[in-house]
Amino acid sequence: MSGYKNILVGLDLSQESTQVLDRAAEIAAQSNAQLSLAHIIEPLTFAYGGDIPMDLSEVQEQLQNQAKEQLRRAAAPLNIPAERQHVVLGQPATEIHRLAEDAGCDLIVIGSHGRHGLALLLGSTANGVLHGAGCDVLAVRVHPSGESK
């Protein structure tokens, strides 16, 4: 089996994202693969269901700009060019599937927080990405910052 050639890394931009990116970079180095980064922002109207009687577009734009800057900083040490850094508005699993398909990715790397109980029953982004991806998916178990692995 040959190694992966085109890897999409879905990041939530939390402190634990470095664990996911480090694992993806390790795989990319072993396979001489290209890395792309993605951060998906759910529209504020999804979260609040339109119940807030105000225009949230300025807040949404600020969130997107902050995410682009964080993604740029994460990409810099790995020399990932701007055209392979994606900040997208939408439903995370759906957008990750679309980005991976559009770019011809053969691996998606995402973080998994290992939730249990009710949080597990309600589903997660990692679960959504796994079910429906057209390529391999690696869910990297992330640990809260400062917690030993």
Side-chain angles (χ1 to χ4, degrees), residues 44-116:
L44 291 173
T45 55
F46 283 13
Y48 297 105
D51 290 340
I52 297 178
M54 61 190 290
D55 182 9
L56 297 173
S57 58
E58 189 173 316
V59 174
Q60 191 79 64
E61 186 176 336
Q62 288 175 351
L63 289 172
Q64 287 178 268
N65 289 338
Q66 289 172 355
K68 287 177 185 175
E69 178 57 26
Q70 286 180 276
L71 208 59
R72 186 194 63 73
R73 284 196 305 265
L78 298 171
N79 298 313
I80 299 170
E83 61 269 12
R84 291 201 323 261
Q85 299 172 36
H86 309 279
V87 173
V88 179
L89 202 60
Q91 197 282 329
T94 301
E95 294 303 326
I96 288 172
H97 291 154
R98 184 187 59 76
L99 285 168
E101 186 174 326
D102 289 353
C105 293
D106 49 7
L107 177 65
I108 298 170
V109 180
I110 51 173
S112 174
H113 295 274
R115 293 184 176 95
H116 302 284

Side-chain angles (χ1 to χ4, degrees), residues 124-136:
S124 66
T125 298
N127 192 42
V129 170
L130 177 63
H131 299 290
C135 63
D136 290 352

